[in-house]
Amino acid sequence: GLDPIALLPYEGMLHKRNVAEVVKMLDATVLYGKDLTGSIVSKMKIFTVTVDNFLEMMDEFEGTLIVTHSTRTDVLMSLLLAMQSRNVPKISGILLTSYKGNDISPHVLNILDGLGRVNVPVIASRQDTFETISTIKATPVFLTADSIEKISLTCSLVDQHLDERFIDMFIDDIEEDREEEAKERKETGGGDIGPKLFQHFMLGKARSLQKTIILPEGNDIRIVEAASILATRKLCKVLLLGTPSVVADHKTKLGVELDGVTHIDQDDLERFPQLEEMAEALYEARKEKGMTKLEARQLLLEDVNYFGTMMMYLDLADGMVSGAAHSTANTIRPALQVIKTSPGVSNVSSTFFMLLPHGVKCFGDCALNVEPTAEQLAEIAVSQAKIAIQFGMHPRVAMLSYATGDSNSGQLIDKVIRATEIARGTAEAEGFMDKELIEGPLQFDAAVDPAVAAIKLENSHVAGRANVLVYPDLTSGNTGYKSVQQTSKCIAVGPILLGLRKPVNDLSRGAKVKDIVNTAVITAIQSDL
């Protein structure tokens, strides 16, 4: 028989619906709380009794979809009022049946519109109660694009239980002759790792490490959703800094759980157990710059990035991801002041993992260093190569310029030649890679296209096969990565900061949830140096 590629354990959550799925199957109308329809429906309850009798049973109805006739405005208003209270378990939603469009009086609608914020989705079906329940019961459970928690859980189960031999099918450059492949890898550094395998490697590596990552911007709904995914998929341990009421509101909107996420109350940091120790450590690190103990303590209470940085400084967290609501400078300044750079590293640089269809490549520096010197450029190349190795790649480093080899001359080319010499010397001295796998100067086409490389620089181990591309300055680097990303529509993971003693990574303020998750995963792996 056929061997299974995965055996997934039973998970009850996958057999539950959310309100958005109920809306879809009934072709229902969302009257209030459209942004809350991700709420999971644990069970349904038909309302037939008086309001007083029903309210006595509210403790039993957490996660319940309440079904009642559209003329029962007493039920509707009582439930919406109850949902304003913190002392009542949250139902998943209210479903009105036999709705004709004008069932609710204008006076009631006026009152409801004046609430400003409805804390539970209210949906309406044209079918009567019996038909509504029958339709729901008869419709198999399914997924929609809004089934955030179930999709995340499904991905987690597949990640954990998929037979890794099946992943080999996704490696584009795999060769039938394993001995020849091993020889080729030894001589030239091997083929590029495909984007699917790279992502699988990232998730598996992070899950095995179980590092603690702090997300200090928990008041942003994207961060809350990312925290839920990271925890559900067991990719890392998550510390979420935010205002409890705001986080709870985001959680309800998204219809997700935050089981496994450790909450830190941003509005009550005075009571955080390690606050005084963190303040003392920050003072000691910055006193030579004139910071007082009082200023250090106040900075921790007011600036979430300083708080997150000091959590790492005291080994309460392994890494930090921020920047969704802060500038790059505000995100990395505390780390530069307190965490500082790794031994032997003089400046922080960055890389982007470009998940191109035919292989993953590292582009750098595309975010930080405007006009690096030859020494800094060499350091950037070394950092790029090391992060590539850490993520399962076999680096072939191209030092980019506007000319290839000795075809031209100029100040910029001289800088790239000097940087290449320094980087090769570092590689040879430290022994982390063959120095011949660092080549420069190379034009981009000669670096990545074998046909062009054969003409411009033959007999090179790098030309035509480079997977680590080092740009000579920030203008070319930033323009280069964005040009490739926009024209190929590939995923660009980054910027990933390199050179800090503990990893801090900066998000774009337009970051999507998947970007935040990927960055947190990479941060967890970086912390394992």
Side-chain angles (χ1 to χ4, degrees):
L2 296 175
D3 292 332
I5 62 173
L7 293 173
L8 304 185
Y10 175 84
E11 176 54 61
M13 178 63 72
L14 298 180
H15 296 271
K16 296 178 181 179
R17 312 177 193 279
N18 66 22
V19 175
E21 294 162 8
V22 174
V23 170
K24 188 175 182 66
M25 71 179 71
L26 295 175
D27 192 23
T29 301
V30 181
L31 301 179
Y32 296 97
K34 186 175 182 179
D35 58 340
L36 304 175
T37 54
S39 299
I40 296 295
V41 178
S42 298
K43 54 187 176 180
M44 293 185 293
K45 184 73 174 179
I46 300 174
F47 188 102
T48 58
V49 297
T50 65
V51 171
D52 286 343
N53 289 337
F54 185 76
L55 292 177
E56 290 177 2
M57 301 182 286
M58 281 296 294
D59 288 344
E60 304 171 15
F61 295 145
E62 184 167 5
T64 300
L65 179 63
I66 305 298
V67 183
T68 192
H69 196 275
S70 59
T71 59
R72 293 296 303 269
T73 54
D74 59 328
V75 175
L76 176 62
M77 296 185 70
S78 297
L79 287 173
L80 291 179
L81 176 61
M83 289 302 101
Q84 301 288 336
S85 173
R86 295 183 179 180
N87 299 327
V88 177
K90 298 298 180 184
I91 61 176
S92 64
I94 302 170
L95 171 55
L96 305 178
T97 61
S98 301
Y99 182 70
K100 297 180 177 59
N102 58 354
D103 310 58
I104 305 174
S105 76
H107 301 295
V108 173
L109 290 174
N110 185 53
I111 293 172
L112 297 181
D113 290 341
L115 290 176
R117 171 69 179 161
V118 174
N119 293 331
V120 63
V122 180
I123 64 177
S125 169
R126 291 184 295 274
Q127 301 176 16
D128 64 32
T129 301
F130 178 78
E131 291 172 328
T132 296
I133 297 299
S134 297
T135 300
I136 295 174
K137 292 288 188 182
T139 305
V141 174
F142 58 91
L143 294 178
T144 72
D146 298 317
S147 307
I148 296 172
E149 188 167 7
K150 292 199 287 186
I151 291 172
S152 177
L153 180 57
T154 301
C155 290
S156 177
L157 291 172
V158 172
D159 286 340
Q160 294 178 63
H161 300 283
L162 181 66
D163 187 338
E164 292 195 4
R165 292 173 297 178
F166 180 67
I167 298 298
D168 287 344
M169 295 173 61
F170 295 111
I171 309 176
D172 295 330
D173 65 338
I174 194 167
E175 300 174 14
E176 293 181 4
D177 188 341
R178 295 293 183 175
E179 291 184 3
E180 187 64 27
E181 178 185 12
K183 179 182 177 182
E184 190 266 348
R185 284 190 180 279
K186 181 177 180 181
E187 293 178 351
T188 68
D192 291 342
I193 183 173
K196 290 184 175 66
L197 182 62
F198 180 79
Q199 289 176 297
H200 181 75
F201 169 86
M202 283 199 324
L203 299 177
K205 179 76 170 177
R207 186 176 292 111
S208 68
L209 294 173
Q210 284 300 294
K211 295 292 185 176
T212 300
I213 304 300
I214 183 164
L215 306 178
E217 299 172 310
N219 288 347
D220 188 305
I221 192 168
R222 295 167 297 170
I223 300 295
V224 173
E225 185 174 345
S228 173
I229 293 171
L230 290 165
T232 300
R233 300 182 69 176
K234 298 180 174 62
L235 297 172
C236 61
K237 298 174 184 176
V238 179
L239 302 177
L240 186 66
L241 180 61
T243 302
S245 60
V246 175
V247 172
D249 189 43
H250 291 334
K251 174 185 166 184
T252 302
K253 276 186 182 179
L254 295 166
V256 300
E257 296 299 327
L258 292 175
D259 297 338
V261 174
T262 300
H263 298 259
I264 301 175
D265 186 350
Q266 180 179 331
D267 295 340
D268 195 20
L269 293 178
E270 291 272 8
R271 299 173 61 184
F272 188 73
Q274 284 82 25
L275 177 64
E276 302 307 327
E277 185 181 0
M278 291 165 64
E280 182 66 25
L282 178 57
Y283 162 70
E284 289 294 332
R286 300 294 295 166
K287 64 182 180 181
E288 292 184 2
K289 299 295 183 180
M291 181 176 286
T292 67
K293 290 185 178 181
L294 181 61
E295 288 172 337
R297 192 176 191 277
Q298 196 62 30
L299 196 55
L300 290 173
L301 296 175
E302 296 176 352
D303 191 316
V304 295
N305 287 316
Y306 271 98
F307 186 91
T309 299
M310 295 312 297
M311 290 282 286
M312 290 190 298
Y313 189 80
L314 294 183
D315 293 326
L316 300 173
D318 298 303
M320 182 175 82
V321 174
S322 187
H326 294 85
S327 68
T328 297
N330 288 337
T331 298
I332 68 174
R333 184 186 298 111
L336 292 174
Q337 292 178 348
V338 181
I339 301 296
K340 300 184 179 178
T341 57
S342 300
V345 176
S346 63
N347 69 308
V348 176
S349 60
S350 71
T351 191
F352 280 86
F353 286 109
M354 308 295 287
L355 307 192
L356 294 158
H358 300 297
V360 176
K361 299 186 186 299
C362 291
F363 284 17
D365 179 358
C366 305
L368 294 180
N369 293 280
V370 179
E371 288 283 353
T373 64
E375 291 74 19
Q376 290 172 330
L377 195 58
E379 197 171 273
I380 290 168
V382 169
S383 295
Q384 299 276 320
K386 287 181 176 179
I387 193 70
I389 292 170
Q390 193 178 6
F391 280 81
M393 298 171 64
H394 300 272
R396 297 180 299 281
V397 182
M399 308 293 286
L400 298 178
S401 183
Y402 60 82
T404 296
D406 57 2
S407 65
N408 208 328
S409 61
Q411 186 175 357
L412 180 61
I413 292 175
D414 291 342
K415 180 179 79 169
V416 173
I417 291 172
R418 175 62 180 150
T420 303
E421 293 172 350
I422 297 171
R424 282 182 164 185
T426 302
E428 185 174 37
E430 296 184 10
F432 62 88
M433 67 180 293
D434 186 342
K435 70 175 184 179
E436 297 300 320
L437 294 177
I438 303 175
E439 185 84 68
L442 287 171
Q443 292 164 285
F444 192 94
D445 57 351
V448 300
D449 188 328
V452 175
I455 298 172
K456 292 189 173 183
L457 195 69
E458 57 183 347
N459 300 321
S460 168
H461 292 312
V462 177
R465 308 188 63 224
N467 57 9
V468 176
L469 295 112
V470 181
Y471 290 87
D473 55 42
L474 186 57
T475 298
S476 59
N478 192 266
T479 303
Y481 106 80
K482 287 186 176 179
S483 298
V484 172
Q485 180 190 30
Q486 291 300 315
T487 54
S488 69
K489 301 303 179 185
C490 74
I491 297 173
V493 182
I496 305 302
L497 304 187
L498 309 176
L500 290 168
R501 286 197 302 112
K502 287 197 171 186
V504 173
N505 281 313
D506 176 42
L507 299 167
S508 162
R509 273 172 278 186
K512 299 184 185 301
V513 173
K514 66 180 180 181
D515 300 325
I516 300 168
V517 171
N518 283 336
T519 303
V521 166
I522 285 177
T523 305
I525 297 172
Q526 279 184 284
S527 70
D528 193 44
L529 283 175

